[in-house]
Amino acid sequence: MRKYLFLSIFIIVLSFVFSLEGYCSELPKDILSHRALCLKPNDEFLLKSDLGQRAEGVKKVYWTASDPSIVSLENPSHGSVTVKALRLGQCDVTLFADSRPITSCRVIVDDDGVIKILAIGNSFSEDALEQHLYSIVKAEGINIVIGNMYIPGCSIERHWQNASNDAAAYSYRKIVKGEKKTTENFKISQAITDENWDYISFQQASHFSGIFSTYEKDLPSLVKYVKGKVKKDNIQLVLHQTWSYANNSTHDGFRNYNNNQMTMYRSIVSAVSEASVLTGIETIIPVGTAIQNGRTSFVGDHFNLDGYHLNLQIGRYTASCTWAEKLLGIKILSNSYYPDEMTLNEIIIARLAAHYAITKPDEVSSLTGL
């Protein structure tokens, strides 16, 4: 009962927010039975729709696939379409009404029907991936495995040294079916071949994250090493854009940015963008922008636990929302999972901060007044 009431209030509040900004079309709650799918080749799935009042006056309803070589759409009707997976890849299945796109479902065709994400990271990947991401994705009916190669404060330089020396230096955290198992003294080479990963992420140590020169020497070598070890050709590599510190942070590395939050934020955006060009990794998860968006709201500069790590509630939830929407196409504004310990207003801010970061990943979107 509490969950039903929460979702009802949440939809009303978000509908009001987006009606002010012309984003009503991005809030089609319950129009589609699923907003994201993960299928194996030759799998078929009946995707259902319910336009409700939106169907009034509509003359033609139809479906399209952004890449018909990945999925075919069979037996389309007003209320459903059968999605058939053809080959590995991703595409969007979109529902149109009179030539107007209404909503879409991200379809990921994977060899085993399970999304698998590995982070070569540190405590900042712990913040983003280990607490909320599994539940967000599972709420969409998608199975996911999450791995995190963890060393506190680990830099790209150290990751490359560990890889080149095949050092058993990591705590390997792995989340399967919602349960986390930790294996100590693990090697990068072991982690890469442990699963048939769909995504592998890279990130810089937080205090170096806005200094491009710290990426230049070793990130290309690390990327090349990983590509040489992966099990499949269509793996997607991503860059995790980390966040700037709280204004009152006492972290020694804050001095690299004159102890100024916005200076650090802009430096991170610039450095990660340059690293993307350097390595050819096109996908950037803009968590740094999401956190900065959230700081413009009533929450203010209260996303951190200790001045640099994210707190266990709104901080980590915002980061996971950003990963889910950017990487998997999950419409985070209407996702059914929410942390019980957060207030309604905090959940709305976290979701909006993440959503706007996907829309405008390199600039701050103000949530002032919310």
Side-chain angles (χ1 to χ4, degrees), residues 17-18 21 23 262 265 289-298 349 352-357 360 363-370:
V17 170
F18 282 100
E21 299 186 18
Y23 279 93
M262 283 305 298
Y265 165 70
T289 297
I291 298 301
Q292 209 60 41
N293 288 347
R295 285 168 170 160
T296 68
S297 73
F298 75 89
I349 290 302
L352 289 174
H355 177 72
Y356 279 125
K360 297 179 180 179
E363 62 183 82
V364 179
S365 295
S366 177
L367 300 180
T368 302
L370 298 179

Side-chain angles (χ1 to χ4, degrees), residues 32 263 307:
L32 292 184
T263 297

Side-chain angles (χ1 to χ4, degrees), residues 219-220 223 227 237 239 273-283:
L219 183 57
V223 169
K227 286 182 176 179
L237 304 182
L239 292 172
S273 179
E274 289 183 88
S276 172
V277 174
L278 175 70
T279 59
I281 298 175
E282 296 181 357
T283 302

Side-chain angles (χ1 to χ4, degrees), residues 131-339:
Q131 186 168 346
H132 297 294
L133 183 61
Y134 177 87
S135 296
I136 292 171
V137 176
K138 190 63 178 177
E140 300 290 336
I142 296 175
N143 292 320
I144 184 172
V145 172
I146 301 169
N148 184 26
M149 289 295 277
Y150 173 85
I151 296 177
C154 195
S155 66
I156 288 172
E157 178 183 19
R158 187 176 178 189
H159 283 310
W160 170 234
Q161 290 174 350
N162 290 339
S164 58
N165 294 321
D166 206 25
Y170 293 86
S171 174
Y172 177 44
R173 285 99 172 274
K174 187 176 180 182
I175 301 171
V176 181
K177 296 182 179 180
E179 298 295 325
K180 182 164 69 174
K181 178 183 178 181
T182 300
T183 306
E184 302 297 341
N185 304 315
F186 219 70
K187 302 176 181 180
I188 289 181
S189 60
Q190 292 175 299
I192 294 172
T193 56
D194 181 53
E195 292 282 357
N196 207 6
W197 303 106
D198 299 292
Y199 304 93
I200 295 181
S201 72
F202 305 89
Q203 67 186 62
Q204 182 54 285
S206 63
H207 51 291
F208 292 143
S209 57
I211 304 172
F212 175 61
S213 60
T214 66
Y215 297 78
E216 282 185 288
K217 179 184 175 183
D218 296 316
L219 183 57
S221 299
L222 183 62
V223 169
K224 183 178 179 181
Y225 175 87
V226 170
K227 286 182 176 179
K229 296 284 186 182
V230 295
K231 290 184 176 182
K232 62 183 182 182
D233 295 333
N234 66 324
I235 191 168
Q236 186 171 339
L237 304 182
V238 303
L239 292 172
H240 181 195
Q241 179 205 82
T242 57
W243 49 92
S244 57
Y245 298 161
N247 278 313
N248 63 356
S249 177
T250 57
H251 194 295
D252 288 344
F254 206 16
R255 291 179 295 181
N256 294 333
Y257 312 96
N258 298 318
N259 294 301
N260 184 284
Q261 185 181 93
M262 283 305 298
T263 297
M264 186 175 186
Y265 165 70
R266 294 190 185 100
S267 297
I268 292 171
V269 169
S270 176
V272 175
S273 179
E274 289 183 88
S276 172
V277 174
L278 175 70
T279 59
I281 298 175
E282 296 181 357
T283 302
I284 297 173
I285 314 296
V287 178
T289 297
I291 298 301
Q292 209 60 41
N293 288 347
R295 285 168 170 160
T296 68
S297 73
F298 75 89
V299 179
D301 200 14
H302 299 289
F303 280 76
N304 300 97
L305 178 68
D306 51 12
Y308 46 103
H309 292 110
L310 297 178
N311 64 38
L312 304 185
Q313 293 79 40
I314 191 169
R316 286 188 171 187
Y317 180 60
T318 301
S320 291
C321 287
T322 310
W323 272 79
E325 181 155 342
K326 175 63 180 180
L327 206 59
L328 304 180
I330 290 172
K331 304 296 190 296
I332 200 62
L333 297 178
S334 53
N335 182 260
S336 62
Y337 166 77
Y338 61 92

Side-chain angles (χ1 to χ4, degrees), residues 14-28 54 102 333 352 355-356 359-360 365:
L14 278 180
S15 297
F16 172 73
V17 170
F18 282 100
S19 67
L20 294 178
E21 299 186 18
Y23 279 93
C24 282
S25 61
E26 295 193 30
L27 211 67
R54 290 172 181 259
I102 300 299
L333 297 178
L352 289 174
H355 177 72
Y356 279 125
T359 305
K360 297 179 180 179
S365 295

